[in-house]
Amino acid sequence: MAPRQTARGALVDPFLKVVDAPGVFVVGDAASVIQNEHPVPGVAQAAIQEGRYVGRLIAKELMERKVKRPFCYFDKGNMAVVGKNYAVLERGWLRTSGSLTWLVWAFVHIISLPQLQNRLRVQRQWLWSYFTGQRSSRLIPEPPRTPGTANDYPS
């Protein structure tokens, strides 16, 4: 673990490098990131932004380019589903809730999925769940095993 820690995680500098541990980066809940004298919230959006930043920073360092800008968290707001047809949204001065907000939440989450096939699959699962009240199973299919292959033995 990092030599210096806070109650929230490893103490990092503005470039998300662990203090007193050169070449070590920490992001997400494991990092204690301070911006404008306030801690960056331990939410998924902050972790995503931190991860992207560190990925770009490492790529630049491998190309021997100097990184000038420290990490800067951009608060996109908070959204949460409270129940069927009901969600809340808070961003700056905007605060809203209800069924329209629930539709906005669903749209934002579908759009943020990385591939079209994932978007379509999640839409289909959500529609099924919405209209039938049944949850879809989350199974990961595996190809059938053939006897006498390496698949028979644990690694």
Side-chain angles (χ1 to χ4, degrees), residues 24-148:
V24 177
F25 299 90
V26 178
V27 299
D29 291 347
S32 180
V33 183
I34 305 297
Q35 180 176 305
N36 300 329
E37 299 179 13
H38 297 294
V40 172
V43 295
Q45 191 52 237
I48 290 167
Q49 290 179 29
E50 291 167 7
R52 286 182 179 149
Y53 174 83
V54 168
R56 290 182 186 121
L57 188 141
I58 290 171
K60 285 182 181 181
E61 285 187 354
L62 289 173
M63 294 186 294
E64 298 181 6
R65 292 172 52 194
K66 183 138 173 80
V67 178
K68 298 174 186 173
R69 287 192 198 144
F71 173 73
C72 182
Y73 171 64
F74 175 72
D75 187 1
K76 295 182 178 182
N78 297 311
M79 297 182 82
V81 170
V82 180
K84 190 172 183 178
N85 294 335
Y86 193 85
V88 293
L89 177 143
E90 180 182 278
R91 182 167 193 274
W93 56 268
L94 177 65
R95 292 174 185 213
T96 182
S97 61
S99 57
L100 183 59
T101 305
W102 180 77
L103 287 172
V104 170
W105 177 90
F107 176 76
V108 166
H109 279 74
I110 293 289
I111 289 301
S112 66
L113 292 173
Q115 296 177 344
L116 178 62
Q117 69 183 23
N118 291 341
R119 292 181 197 136
L120 295 174
R121 183 180 302 124
V122 169
Q123 278 180 325
R124 193 171 54 246
Q125 288 173 347
W126 284 1
L127 286 170
W128 175 262
S129 179
Y130 184 81
F131 288 115
T132 65
Q134 299 175 354
R135 293 183 141 196
S136 60
S137 61
R138 301 183 199 283
L139 300 176
I140 301 171
E142 292 185 12
R145 294 182 180 185
T146 53

